[in-house]
Each structure stands twice: as C-alpha cells, then as structure tokens.
Amino acid sequence: MRPEPGSVAEADYADRRLTAGRVRLSAGTPDSRVTPTADVPGWLAAYGRAHHFRAEPIPFAGLRRWYFEPGTGDLRHETGRFFSIEGLRTSSDADPVDRVQPIIVQPEVGLLGVLAREFDGVLHFLMQAKPEPGNVNGLQLSPTVQATRSNFDEVHHGRATPFLDHFIQHPRRRVLVDAIQSEQADWFLHKRNRNMVVEIDAEVPTDDSFRWLTLGQIRGLLRLDDLVNMDTRSVLACLPTAHGADDGDGDGFGAALRRSFYGDPTPRHDLHAVTSCLTDVQALRVLRQQSVPLERAYEDGWRRDGSAIRHRSGRRFEIMAVGVTAERREVASWTQPLLRPCSQGLAALVVRRIGGVLHALVAARSDVGTLNVAEFGPTVQHRAAGPDAAAVPYLDYVRAGGPDRIRYDAVQSEEGGRFYHARTRYLVVEAGPELPVDCPPGFRWATFGQLTELLAHGHYLNVELRTLIACAHAAY
C-alpha cells in the first residue's frame, strides 16, 4: 500500500522503489567488464590452488580451547564466546512428549554484509571466495563480510575482518538492505544474523579473494551446485523488487515469475491476510523450549563417544570436531565442533498460477529452536533422517512432479562455519489445476513480490525460504 503523500514513509517508499529499479537493472546484466563471467571459474580455481585450506575430522580429545563443562556436559569455548553445544528440551501441542536434543547456542548477532558499487551505471556486489571448514567443496562465494560478533571483536586474536567498518556506523554509508534474519532453527537456538547491503561510491582496495559481480552474474551461478553460499543467498534475497516495474510480457513461466516479483498483480490474499496466517500460528500453536544441560540428552537416546555425539537411531544429526589449517583466514589454524546432518535435505516451493498470477505456497513452520514460535518456510522442508515422510504435507506431490514441472533444481550447501557437509536439494515446482487452491491451516499462497516485501523485516521468512527466493530469480 502506498503511504500518505508527503510523509516520511512515502519518501522511504520512493527510495526503496528507486533502489529496486537499480537492482532490477543489475539482475538483468548477465556479464560485466569488471569481472567477466567466463573468468569466475578460473579465479576460484586459482585461488583454491594458491591458498592452502584443510579441514579434517578429529576426536574430541584433539579440540584446543574447547572443553566439556563439568556438571552439565555442555561443549564450550574457554573464552565463553563464539558458540556452545547445549541441551534443549522441547514439546508442543502437536507432540506433548518432552524431547531433549543437542542444539547450537550462539546468542551473538553476527553480520552478513555485502558491499555494492556502481560500475558503468550498473550495481555490482563485492563477493568473497571463502573456504569454510564444513563446506563439501571448500571454497564458495560468500558475502563481503561474514563474521560473528566474536570475530569482529577479535576474540580469536587474529587479523581484523576486512571491510567491517563500512557496515558498523560508517558516516557515509548508504544502506540498501538492513534486517535481522534467522538461521536453521532445527539446529540453532534463536540464532540471528544482521543481513546488510551497503552502497559505496569510492574505490576500495581488494585482494585476489574478492571480485565485483552483477546480480545477474550471481543469479546465473545459483544454477550450479554448492557455489553460492547460504549467507550470500540470504542477503541477496532481501534486495527489494519494485511493483509495477515489469509487466512480464508473454505466457511462459519466466514471464509469470517476473510479474510475480516485479509486476503489480492482484494477489489471492493481501499482505495483511498473509501475515495474519503467520500471526494465527504464533498465537495459537504451543512450542515449549527449555535449555538444559547437554548431559540430559544422553537420557533421551543420544550417545557420546570419543569422536561424536549421535542419536542411537543413527538418524537426525551428530556433533563432531574438526581441525582446520588456513592460510588466508583471520587465524591460521584452529579446532572446533561442527554439526553433521545424517542425510541430505529437501526444500521445495510449490508455485501455481491463481487468477493468472503466479503464487508460491508457503508454510508456517515451528522448529525446535524458532525464536517466535513460527516463521514462513517452503511448501516442503524435510530430511530423510527426520520425521515420517507420510506426515509431511505436499511431500508426495513434490516427489511425483516430473521434469516438465520443475523450474529450478540444484543442491546447495548450508552454512559451512557450523555445519559439516550439510546440503539441501532446492526445488521450485510449478503446479497445475490438479492442485487445489484451498490449502490446509498454516499454509498461504503469496506472490513473490509480497514475500520480498516481508524480507524488509526480520523473522517472517526462514533461511530455507530465503534461499528459494534467491534461487527462483535464477529460474528465468
């Protein structure tokens, strides 16, 4: 809804539309003289060869500066910073039985920041080739700054984080995106990161780990497996799109998707009705969370040996440790715990044209570590090592979808700083009239423009849905 003429809100609205138009231009620029797309694979390969990085599983006894706390069994860093592995007891109205599991506790709000600068009249974004200990392939495209509060407070006693000052109270910064967003609530307790895009005018010195890319180039790279990391996907999903900026001529999926992102269509539900669906769930669903000593998990099917904490079923996930050596990180070597899932995940967004307008079917999800009971997630979010597949709405429909229905399909890595080889298959599946428009409670149809509008604020869309918003752009 357009704000009142002459109001501060109208000025902000106009500024956001202007930014959205510039974002749209960058998204429509698939190559650049600054960093030609053809040079990106060679740059990444050369960087990987030139800079040694190795992460190997080690026993818990090999952890340095980490310890299992007497009396609780919690796994902590000796500084009391970074993160810890603790126990979490949960129950809900749907499952009133108390269950205890290990959970990553990281109360600090980290920073995911991307610098933007205009070259030849087109916005470019400063991407970093960054290895993480949990990445399945080592090196991935990361934000300009990807740091915990402990990192930029230099608790590690290593090198300072490059470009950090552009995001922390810089007097001449122009903020294009600034929102606190959640991360995986199955594995984190109330984890949040500040997602930022800041535009600069002046040249900044960069080394061989950084390259300027247009949004169109980055979205092209999102078609590849395990290349654009989770944090980059999260930040870039938050960039604004301008309603009315694109009519999406034609009847193909690409045109329909552009209209859903950039056009000004009539949605099935107005934005208030979309958010009310989530508010209903937050108000009526019961999610009980209680932090408990990690040792309590050993009474509920979890076991610890010298190298891992795992569930006796062999499913879900395990807590392990790695030793890392890195030439170009703030610290040259370290050890740390990581969470390793026992199976690849699936996150699927079902889309359908309703009244000629492309809508996405989102679900209000409550995971064990969710901060405020629920957030919107994809239509389907599932791991084979998780709940019974029969209990997951729309999973059978997604699995039955043939290649003619799949509009996006790639395997992407989750955050490699806390998870080891955590990968998820991301799908956008177009449904036809065989899928009823009426949906179960807790589900809602929304246009992509509506979802992007919600991303100007925190805690509406979970990280898996944010990835699918970013990846959907690569579908046309």
Side-chain angles (χ1 to χ4, degrees):
M1 182 180 297
R2 187 183 296 272
E4 287 291 325
S7 66
V8 173
E10 186 192 38
D12 291 341
Y13 176 81
D15 185 64
R16 185 170 172 81
R17 283 181 61 87
L18 176 63
T19 297
R22 300 171 68 216
V23 168
R24 177 82 170 88
L25 177 62
S26 183
T29 306
D31 210 343
S32 171
R33 68 167 183 85
V34 180
T35 307
T37 301
D39 292 352
V40 172
W43 160 55
L44 293 172
Y47 184 87
R49 289 192 301 268
H51 304 291
H52 174 79
F53 185 92
R54 181 186 294 269
E56 295 183 331
I58 61 172
F60 287 137
L63 284 170
R64 303 190 305 272
R65 307 188 70 188
W66 293 85
Y67 69 101
F68 287 98
E69 183 179 62
T72 66
D74 295 348
L75 184 52
R76 300 184 181 278
H77 195 265
E78 65 180 18
T79 61
R81 301 289 297 273
F82 298 106
F83 65 96
S84 58
I85 309 295
E86 302 178 21
L88 181 69
R89 175 183 286 121
T90 60
S91 62
S92 67
D93 50 347
D95 184 7
V97 176
D98 283 354
R99 303 184 189 280
V100 181
Q101 68 167 72
I103 197 85
I104 302 174
V105 179
Q106 188 172 333
E108 302 173 341
V109 176
L111 174 66
L112 309 177
V114 174
L115 284 182
R117 187 184 173 202
E118 203 170 89
F119 295 90
D120 300 328
V122 177
L123 279 177
H124 288 60
F125 301 88
L126 189 59
M127 295 288 101
Q128 179 182 182
K130 186 171 185 176
E132 291 284 6
N135 286 353
V136 68
N137 56 345
L139 199 66
Q140 296 185 12
L141 280 181
S142 304
T144 316
V145 171
Q146 179 180 313
T148 66
R149 180 64 182 265
S150 294
N151 288 146
F152 55 79
D153 285 346
E154 299 180 30
V155 176
H156 48 53
H157 302 298
R159 293 190 294 269
T161 302
F163 305 111
L164 180 64
D165 59 322
H166 288 279
F167 299 91
I168 308 297
Q169 298 179 341
H170 194 283
R172 292 182 300 277
R173 69 182 186 182
R174 179 168 184 258
V175 178
L176 307 185
V177 168
D178 192 359
I180 292 178
Q181 304 287 3
S182 63
E183 296 205 0
Q184 286 87 348
D186 258 345
W187 300 332
F188 281 117
L189 178 62
H190 302 172
K191 176 68 167 64
R192 300 171 296 159
N193 273 324
R194 188 179 186 183
N195 288 232
M196 297 186 74
V197 179
V198 170
E199 185 178 4
I200 58 173
D201 297 322
E203 183 176 351
V204 292
T206 60
D207 59 28
D208 62 342
S209 62
F210 293 91
R211 290 292 186 275
W212 292 99
L213 299 173
T214 69
L215 190 55
Q217 290 176 293
I218 299 167
R219 287 178 177 171
L221 296 172
L222 275 167
R223 300 187 183 103
L224 305 176
D225 292 352
D226 300 312
L227 182 54
V228 179
N229 86 350
M230 185 199 81
D231 298 317
T232 299
R233 302 190 305 261
S234 176
V235 175
L236 296 184
C238 298
L239 286 165
T241 59
H243 291 185
D246 192 314
D247 292 331
D249 294 336
D251 295 325
F253 179 77
L257 186 60
R258 287 194 297 275
R259 281 194 296 269
S260 187
F261 267 117
Y262 297 106
D264 198 11
T266 301
R268 178 170 173 80
H269 306 285
D270 64 24
L271 195 61
H272 175 73
V274 173
T275 58
S276 287
C277 170
L278 183 61
T279 304
D280 281 344
V281 173
Q282 291 172 334
L284 300 175
R285 186 174 294 173
V286 176
L287 176 63
R288 303 178 187 89
Q289 302 166 318
Q290 180 186 7
S291 293
V292 297
L294 180 57
E295 288 184 346
R296 298 285 178 84
Y298 307 142
E299 303 168 6
D300 199 17
W302 294 85
R303 300 287 183 267
R304 177 181 133 196
D305 59 27
S307 60
I309 300 170
R310 54 176 64 92
H311 197 265
R312 65 187 175 197
S313 67
R315 305 176 71 184
R316 304 187 69 179
F317 60 85
E318 62 182 44
I319 304 297
M320 52 167 312
V322 293
V324 185
T325 55
E327 291 180 352
R328 295 292 296 271
R329 292 292 294 267
E330 294 88 347
V331 177
S333 68
W334 72 92
T335 64
Q336 68 169 90
L338 288 174
L339 183 151
R340 174 165 53 189
C342 295
S343 62
Q344 180 175 290
L346 172 67
L349 190 61
V350 174
V351 299
R352 193 197 144 162
R353 303 179 204 214
I354 303 173
V357 178
L358 190 70
H359 287 69
L361 184 59
V362 296
R365 285 188 56 88
S366 296
D367 295 313
V368 294
T370 303
L371 175 61
N372 192 25
V373 181
E375 293 184 334
F376 280 130
T379 318
V380 172
Q381 188 174 317
H382 177 67
R383 287 190 178 269
D388 181 6
V392 181
Y394 298 101
L395 178 59
D396 288 342
Y397 182 85
V398 166
R399 286 176 170 172
D404 60 320
R405 292 289 190 186
I406 295 175
R407 305 297 179 234
Y408 177 88
D409 186 359
V411 176
Q412 302 290 356
S413 294
E414 305 305 337
E415 210 277 311
R418 298 292 177 265
F419 312 136
Y420 188 81
H421 295 187
R423 305 174 77 215
T424 303
R425 184 186 180 193
Y426 284 95
L427 291 171
V428 176
V429 180
E430 185 175 13
E434 77 284 351
L435 187 72
V437 172
D438 293 334
C439 52
F443 286 80
R444 186 70 92 211
W445 293 100
T447 68
F448 282 93
Q450 288 177 316
L451 296 177
T452 304
E453 192 169 342
L454 292 178
L455 282 172
H457 314 280
H459 302 292
Y460 276 108
L461 275 57
N462 73 5
V463 68
E464 290 83 4
L465 183 51
R466 296 200 301 277
T467 279
L468 280 161
I469 297 296
C471 293
H473 284 284
Y476 60 82

